[in-house]
């Protein structure tokens, strides 16, 4: 029964979304659906945050492994909404916490990417086979074409680098994108028609 | 005038493409009704999932799954959830813990249902642990920090990255690599593909993500629609070749020289 209900809801909303894309006259109804999505999203967010808080509170109360991390999570979950009660303007505590704690922490994680790129490049650029050798040569040309020393070594490196990016790289990306486009349309049709039901349970 | 209101001219090519896909799908369903069965080439990445889960079971370590930062309206996320259903079914059968921290509350809610349903279908409803499939945060790097930390603590034997990824892809994949896990990735984010190709053991490229669920389940209707996709791809390749030949003739004015 639940499966059938989910199927009919998916079918009706899927067909409606198709219509509103091709026929903009029904744009008003589309905006209403977007409002409902916000309601669903906020409800899910609330459920998710409560579940997360309870899970970490349980870990703290039983002092199970990693409870210190859970304590930090619970503290963050409580501190930010409480701080928001006193305003979210530029001079508020909330804003200060956001700018001086959350933003630097996010930047720190993002900056780790530089080290991971280096370690991945070290592994990826080993010329163990012909394709790997070609990758290494292409990457070396692209990198040399992007830095001043490359031009000093050979004046045409920037042009070679750009040619590699504009021709073989774009051709490969377009090939992948065509596949993704077709795959996306076919998958959406499968979902709308109820053929692909993996997202609401396995067919046996 | 009316045509422009009811069907804007710029959307006509999209409509034609959509109708072509719909016609191809209809074609394979008619063939299926006539008793034709469909087969697609084996996807090494999809086949490796069972091997990875088996390895995790033997080592007594968990399986780690993530769908990146994609929301529920992305086809890549829905394709990832299809794969999740198969992974959850197998892990429930083998009694291997499955961890799936989530970046989006709606995806987390759907994922809990998928894992719970798959565990029930496998005959082990107790294998579903709600605390292992959970929402973390909407913040991209907050999520990345949590998922990386979780991988460091759990030391999973298999890490599966299926869905839409952005800057977090390499941080996650390199963390998984450092744990010595079998890594399988599939994404529709073309920029992140290069990172996964370097850091993972198997990478499903672009459209293979959408075929992975069908390939694992062996569902004839899904396989048929993947075959329809291949027909369309062949048609697109043909059109590209014709276009390239015509463009070459026009650019170099070859017709006048013949």
């Amino acid at each position: 029964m639940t499966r059938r209900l989910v199927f009919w809801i998916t079918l009706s909303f899927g067909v409606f979304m198709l219509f509103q894309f091709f026929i903009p006259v029904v744009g008003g109804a589309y905006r209403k659906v977007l409002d409902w999505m916000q309601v669903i999203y906020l409800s899910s967010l609330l459920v998710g945050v409560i579940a997360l808080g309870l899970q970490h509170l349980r870990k703290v109360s039983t002092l199970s492994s990693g409870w210190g991390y859970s304590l930090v999570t619970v503290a963050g979950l409580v501190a930010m909404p409480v701080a928001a009660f006193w305003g979210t303007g530029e001079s508020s505590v909330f804003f200060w916490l956001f700018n001086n704690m959350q933003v630097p922490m996010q930047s720190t994680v993002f900056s780790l990417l530089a080290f991971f790129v280096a370690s991945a490049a070290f592994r990826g650029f080993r010329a163990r086979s012909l394709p790997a050798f070609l990758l290494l040569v292409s990457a070396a040309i692209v990198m040399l074409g992007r830095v001043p020393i490359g031009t000093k070594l050979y004046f045409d490196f920037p042009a070679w680098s750009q040619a590699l990016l504009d021709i073989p790289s774009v051709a490969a990306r377009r090939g992948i994108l065509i596949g993704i486009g077709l795959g996306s349309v076919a998958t959406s049709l499968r979902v709308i028609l109820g053929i692909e039901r993996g997202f609401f349970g396995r067919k046996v | 005038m009316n045509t422009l209101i009811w069907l804007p001219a710029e959307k006509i090519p999209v409509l034609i493409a959509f109708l072509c896909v719909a016609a191809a799908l209809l074609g394979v369903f008619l063939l299926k009704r006539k008793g034709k069965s469909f087969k697609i080439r084996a996807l090494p990445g999809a086949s490796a999932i069972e091997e990875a889960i088996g390895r995790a079971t033997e080592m007594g370590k968990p399986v780690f799954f993530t769908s990146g930062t994609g929301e529920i309206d992305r086809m890549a996320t829905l394709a990832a959830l299809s794969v999740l259903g198969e992974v959850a079914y197998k892990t429930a059968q083998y009694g291997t813990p499955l961890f799936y921290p989530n970046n989006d509350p709606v995806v987390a809610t759907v994922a809990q249902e998928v894992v719970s349903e798959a565990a029930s279908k496998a005959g082990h409803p107790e294998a579903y642990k709600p605390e292992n499939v959970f929402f973390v945060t909407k913040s991209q790097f907050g999520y990345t920090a949590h998922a990386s930390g979780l991988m460091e603590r759990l030391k999973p034997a298999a890490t599966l990255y299926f869905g839409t990824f952005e800057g977090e892809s390499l941080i996650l994949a390199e963390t998984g690599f450092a744990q010595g896990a079998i890594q399988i990735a599939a994404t529709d984010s073309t920029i992140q593909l290069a990172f996964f190709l370097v850091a993972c053991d198997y990478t499903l490229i672009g459209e293979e993500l959408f075929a992975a669920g069908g390939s694992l389940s062996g569902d004839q209707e899904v396989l048929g629609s993947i075959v329809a996709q291949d027909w369309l791809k062949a048609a697109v390749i043909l059109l590209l070749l014709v276009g390239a030949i015509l463009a070459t003739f026009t650019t170099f004015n070859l017709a006048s020289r013949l």
Side-chain angles (χ1 to χ4, degrees):
Chain A
M1 179 62 195
T2 319
R3 269 174 171 271
R4 195 163 288 179
L5 185 69
V6 174
F7 165 70
W8 282 110
I9 292 173
T10 312
L11 180 71
S12 31
F13 277 88
V15 170
F16 169 74
M17 284 297 181
L18 264 177
F19 267 98
Q20 69 77 29
F21 177 77
F22 290 115
I23 305 163
V25 197
V26 287
Y30 172 61
R31 277 187 290 279
K32 273 221 162 70
V33 172
L34 288 188
D35 289 344
W36 295 349
M37 270 185 73
Q38 292 296 320
V39 175
I40 294 170
Y41 185 86
L42 283 174
S43 314
S44 305
L45 186 65
L46 199 64
V47 170
V49 170
I50 290 171
L52 183 77
L54 288 175
Q55 186 185 338
H56 285 280
L57 267 178
R58 221 173 0 251
K59 266 186 153 183
V60 174
S61 61
T62 55
L63 294 179
S64 52
S65 138
W67 67 270
Y69 301 115
S70 298
L71 188 64
V72 175
T73 309
V74 173
L77 271 176
V78 174
M80 290 304 271
V82 168
F85 274 115
W86 279 276
T88 52
E90 280 192 22
S91 56
S92 64
V93 178
F94 176 85
F95 198 75
W96 187 89
L97 282 172
F98 184 80
N99 265 349
N100 294 289
M101 293 188 82
Q102 192 164 340
V103 172
M105 283 193 286
Q106 287 184 347
S107 307
T108 307
V109 177
F110 184 52
S111 63
L112 289 175
L113 194 59
F115 301 100
F116 286 128
V117 167
S119 66
F122 180 72
R123 283 203 315 280
F125 293 158
R126 278 185 213 157
R128 284 170 298 191
S129 58
L130 181 64
F133 174 71
L134 290 175
L135 180 71
L136 172 66
V137 173
S138 317
I141 293 172
V142 171
M143 283 191 281
L144 284 170
R146 301 264 141 182
V147 288
I149 198 169
T151 322
K152 292 254 184 223
L153 287 171
Y154 179 56
F155 75 97
D156 229 8
F157 266 140
W160 285 20
S161 160
Q162 203 53 48
L164 277 172
L165 291 174
D166 287 347
I167 304 163
S169 175
V170 166
R173 273 189 73 186
R174 283 188 184 158
I176 295 170
L177 284 171
I178 289 170
I180 291 171
L182 286 171
S184 298
V185 176
T187 307
S188 56
L189 272 173
R190 286 203 295 265
V191 170
I192 292 170
L193 299 173
I195 299 161
E196 178 103 42
R197 296 183 187 197
F199 67 97
F200 58 87
R202 189 183 194 276
K203 272 202 255 185
V204 173
Chain B
M1 189 67 182
N2 277 343
T3 319
L4 280 178
I5 296 169
W6 286 95
L7 181 63
E10 71 271 12
K11 287 188 176 168
I12 291 174
V14 185
L15 181 65
I16 293 170
F18 171 76
L19 290 175
C20 288
V21 177
L25 279 180
L26 188 69
V28 291
F29 294 141
L30 290 176
L31 283 175
K32 188 185 165 278
R33 272 204 177 170
K34 285 185 179 169
K36 182 163 173 53
S37 64
F38 299 100
K39 258 197 343 196
I40 58 167
R41 70 179 168 87
L43 300 170
S47 318
I49 291 177
E50 187 154 5
E51 182 198 326
I53 297 171
R55 180 175 180 259
T57 309
E58 281 171 11
M59 294 173 76
K61 287 182 171 184
V63 172
F64 181 92
F65 189 98
T66 172
S67 59
T69 47
E71 296 183 350
I72 198 75
D73 55 354
R74 285 195 68 100
M75 280 306 119
T77 309
L78 290 180
L81 289 171
S82 285
V83 175
L84 174 71
E86 300 301 324
V87 170
Y89 184 80
K90 293 271 185 319
T91 49
Q93 270 186 326
Y94 297 155
T96 306
L98 170 68
F99 285 84
Y100 179 15
N102 223 292
N103 173 256
D104 184 90
V106 181
V107 178
T109 312
V110 179
Q112 285 177 338
E113 283 302 311
V114 169
V115 175
S116 157
E117 175 104 5
S120 300
K121 290 273 161 64
H124 298 281
E126 76 287 352
Y128 165 62
K129 303 252 186 303
E131 65 272 21
N132 290 359
V133 184
F134 55 96
F135 166 69
V136 182
T137 171
K138 269 306 281 179
S139 151
Q140 181 192 6
F141 289 107
Y143 171 74
T144 311
H146 178 89
S148 304
L150 192 65
M151 271 196 260
E152 289 275 357
R153 293 190 292 278
L154 292 172
K155 309 233 174 289
T159 47
L160 310 172
Y161 311 99
F162 280 74
T164 300
F165 290 84
E166 289 172 27
E168 72 281 0
S169 66
L170 192 61
I171 300 177
L172 295 174
E174 281 292 286
T175 310
F177 176 82
Q179 310 313 315
I182 284 195
Q183 302 213 97
I184 304 167
T187 184
D188 63 341
S189 323
T190 49
I191 295 171
Q192 309 306 325
L193 268 175
F195 294 139
F196 280 137
L197 281 164
V198 169
C200 295
D201 299 289
Y202 298 92
T203 306
L204 295 158
I205 297 174
E207 62 184 322
E208 290 180 337
L209 163 65
F210 304 107
S215 169
L216 284 170
S217 66
D219 187 314
Q220 275 298 308
E221 284 179 335
V222 179
L223 289 180
S225 68
I226 295 165
V227 169
Q229 250 171 266
D230 285 345
W231 291 351
L232 289 163
K233 208 160 55 171
V236 169
I237 291 169
L238 196 69
L239 280 174
L240 282 173
L241 281 174
V242 171
I245 292 166
L246 287 177
T248 311
F249 264 78
T250 318
T251 310
F252 298 104
N253 203 13
L254 291 178
S256 64
R257 292 184 201 181
L258 287 176

